[in-house]
Amino acid sequence: MSNNSDLIEHLDLAGDFIRLRLGDRPIPKLAVVLGSGLGPVADQVTDPVVIPYTDVPYFPESTVTGHAGRLVIGALDGTPVVCLQGRFHLYEGYAAHQVVFPLRALGRMGVQAFVLTNAAGGINTGFSPGDLMVITDHLNLSGTNPMIGSHDDALGPRFPDMGQAYDPEFQAVTHALAAELGIKLQQGVYTVLSGPSYETPAEVRMLRGLGGDAVGMSTVPEVIACRQMGLRVLGISLISNLAAGLSQTPLSHKEVIETAARVQQDFVRLIEHLVPRLGATLG
Ligand code: HPA
């Protein structure tokens, strides 16, 4: 990124490309970022336009190991939605401003709200693997921020307020819906480290001492970028495992994916019904 006027131009060229692919379909007001093992939500999208990230101009280029991902744009339960199946992570070597590029492009296109999902380790000893947690707040311990660098008012304020980063109305709607569907929901503070190594038990004790309930490697840069633009955010973590030191088994990505697969049905059901409810709150 040589300067920020280039960034705005690149965001809008990416947006123009996506709009062109949509043809005369509506631009959704709501987007859902699908975390590890949660991609199958996109299979429920009806009549989708599928756009691989590699097709979109100025989207970050995927790393060798990274599974690039795609936009799946259509409707869930009749409500227009963009699903981002796959995301860019700091641990893949992307700068924070690259991680958030797709969200900024969609925000400038007219998306008003993001549901950000992830798999996370449970720090709160009341949590069990397979629980879903509504994120109430976060601790940014990633060491970076997507707004670092030159500033352009076109993206929002230089020093955005993060006092209510996670939309209180969205949280309330989610809790009410989960109760109706009989899906248990936890809530808590999401902490982020860069990864990709999992935490040490000492780090997990530190995070608990700081007020963390779950730990992961994503989502926070995206929340910051969304809030700068004034976009509304809901965060949901799937507690895929107990964080380091809380169980006898070593942590593995396999466990994360297996737990996600086990609770996928509830997760898909929740998101499917949530999209129209959240959509109804948007202007
Ligand atoms: N730590 C960090 N990130 C994670 C974890 C964890 O225990 N589980 C899933 N993502």
Side-chain angles (χ1 to χ4, degrees):
M1 183 178 53
S2 51
N3 68 49
N4 247 36
S5 58
D6 283 352
L7 172 61
I8 301 296
E9 186 186 327
H10 294 173
L11 290 169
D12 291 345
L13 286 168
D16 289 347
F17 177 87
I18 296 166
R19 228 194 316 263
L20 207 60
R21 285 276 182 104
L22 283 181
D24 52 13
R25 292 155 175 261
I27 293 169
K29 293 178 181 168
L30 195 62
V32 184
V33 178
L34 298 167
S36 294
L38 302 172
V41 168
D43 300 339
Q44 305 304 314
V45 170
T46 49
D47 197 15
V49 173
V50 177
I51 309 175
Y53 293 164
T54 49
D55 284 6
V56 186
Y58 301 108
F59 264 36
E61 285 180 24
S62 87
T63 58
V64 181
T65 50
H67 33 121
R70 53 197 205 152
L71 299 171
V72 179
I73 309 175
L76 277 174
D77 215 4
T79 300
V81 69
V82 182
C83 287
L84 292 91
Q85 207 175 26
R87 57 152 60 91
F88 299 96
H89 297 90
L90 295 171
Y91 64 73
E92 293 173 275
Y94 298 107
H97 71 85
Q98 293 178 297
V99 166
V100 304
F101 186 95
L103 291 87
R104 282 175 164 166
L106 290 168
R108 289 183 62 81
M109 267 177 67
V111 170
Q112 297 175 18
F114 278 85
V115 178
L116 302 170
T117 72
N118 58 55
I123 295 174
N124 185 318
T125 52
F127 291 178
S128 307
D131 282 354
L132 298 176
M133 182 189 91
V134 173
I135 303 176
T136 55
D137 205 346
H138 72 223
L139 287 169
N140 180 13
L141 304 173
S142 68
T144 189
N145 188 302
M147 295 171 50
I148 289 174
S150 57
H151 171 68
D152 191 324
D153 277 332
L155 287 175
R158 182 38 146 169
F159 303 108
D161 176 45
M162 294 291 286
Q164 291 197 318
Y166 298 84
D167 193 275
E169 184 183 5
F170 282 5
Q171 291 182 55
V173 167
T174 307
H175 283 291
L177 173 64
E180 278 174 45
L181 297 175
I183 295 172
K184 179 176 140 197
L185 272 192
Q186 306 279 12
Q187 60 175 0
V189 173
Y190 177 84
T191 61
V192 64
L193 300 178
S194 72
S197 51
Y198 290 116
E199 300 68 39
T200 63
E203 286 166 344
V204 171
R205 286 193 298 275
M206 171 191 76
L207 295 173
R208 184 183 303 116
L210 294 177
D213 295 294
V215 56
M217 307 176 191
S218 69
T219 305
V220 164
E222 297 159 3
V223 173
I224 293 169
C226 286
R227 294 307 298 151
Q228 183 191 22
M229 297 180 79
L231 310 178
R232 296 172 69 183
V233 170
L234 175 74
I236 303 178
S237 292
L238 167 82
I239 305 300
S240 55
N241 56 278
L242 299 179
L246 298 180
S247 87
Q248 300 309 313
T249 46
L251 299 190
S252 72
H253 188 58
K254 186 161 169 277
E255 181 188 1
V256 170
I257 298 300
E258 282 172 0
T259 308
R262 177 161 64 77
V263 296
Q264 216 160 67
Q265 274 194 346
D266 272 353
F267 182 80
V268 170
R269 214 155 51 91
L270 183 67
I271 299 294
E272 241 178 344
H273 290 85
L274 199 51
V275 162
R277 298 259 178 126
L278 297 182
T281 72
L282 300 174

